[in-house]
Amino acid sequence: MRFYMVNFCDGFTDSECRWFTSRVKAQKFFRKMEKDEDCQMVFDVVEYDIPTRKKELLNWLNQNGNSSLGYN
């Protein structure tokens, strides 16, 4: 299962992120944030291929699940 994440910073808090199920929606949000005057910094759209089977998902989370992935 693929998810797409956009990292951005609004200048008032630490960086934030948004998750999307389609690259098109993530890129649309990315462009919107680039144009936003209050948004000082926008990072790239990052694709994550996340497994759906329980054992593989747990392994993926143990390897990749950390604070750099963000919270939503």
Side-chain angles (χ1 to χ4, degrees), residues 6-69:
V6 178
N7 284 307
F8 60 96
C9 180
D10 65 8
F12 300 107
T13 62
D14 293 333
S15 64
E16 299 178 36
C17 71
R18 292 275 171 92
W19 291 90
F20 298 89
T21 56
S22 82
R23 182 187 303 267
V24 172
K25 289 179 182 178
Q27 289 172 331
K28 184 178 178 180
F29 180 79
F30 177 82
R31 287 190 299 273
K32 177 185 169 196
M33 295 307 292
E34 276 186 318
K35 292 177 184 177
D36 188 351
E37 294 176 3
D38 293 333
C39 186
Q40 294 182 347
M41 194 183 314
V42 178
F43 307 102
D44 204 358
V45 175
V46 181
E47 179 180 322
Y48 288 94
D49 190 15
I50 301 173
T52 57
R53 292 190 177 136
K54 193 173 186 177
K55 190 173 185 176
E56 294 168 354
L57 175 59
L58 180 59
N59 185 44
W60 186 91
L61 288 169
N62 284 328
Q63 292 178 7
N64 299 290
N66 59 48
S67 60
S68 68
L69 288 176

